[in-house]
Amino acid sequence: MALDPQGPALVEGPVEIVLDDGTVARSDRFMVAVCTCRRSRTCPWCDTSHRARGRNVSPPEDRNP
């Protein structure tokens, strides 16, 4: 398992996770990203919600007036 402090836990699959309500989430993928930030809409799987949204990058200047 690999942990990224800014992202998900990467786990070699297949994976079964027992959720708080007792249901089991399963993935047969060879590598699974498990959400650790609790922002994912697809918990327990990571949906990249941990990534910064809405970058404050100004548009390039028009070089041809």
Side-chain angles (χ1 to χ4, degrees), residues 1 3 9 17 25 27 30 35-36 41 46-47 49 53 56 62-65:
M1 178 169 71
L3 286 177
I17 297 176
S27 176
F30 68 93
C35 177
T36 60
R41 293 182 188 172
C46 176
D47 67 0
S49 292
R53 300 285 185 207
N56 293 328
D62 186 6
R63 304 264 178 186
N64 298 321

Side-chain angles (χ1 to χ4, degrees), residues 20-36:
D20 291 338
D21 64 2
T23 59
V24 177
R26 293 182 176 91
S27 176
D28 291 329
R29 301 181 115 205
F30 68 93
M31 184 65 71
V32 180
V34 179
C35 177
T36 60

Side-chain angles (χ1 to χ4, degrees), residues 41-61:
R41 293 182 188 172
T42 60
C43 276
W45 317 122
C46 176
D47 67 0
T48 68
S49 292
H50 61 276
R51 293 182 183 168
R53 300 285 185 207
R55 294 181 182 171
N56 293 328
V57 178
S58 58
E61 294 180 23

Side-chain angles (χ1 to χ4, degrees), residues 2-26:
L3 286 177
D4 178 353
Q6 302 299 318
L10 299 178
V11 182
E12 290 185 35
V15 175
E16 288 187 355
I17 297 176
V18 179
L19 304 174
D20 291 338
D21 64 2
T23 59
V24 177
R26 293 182 176 91

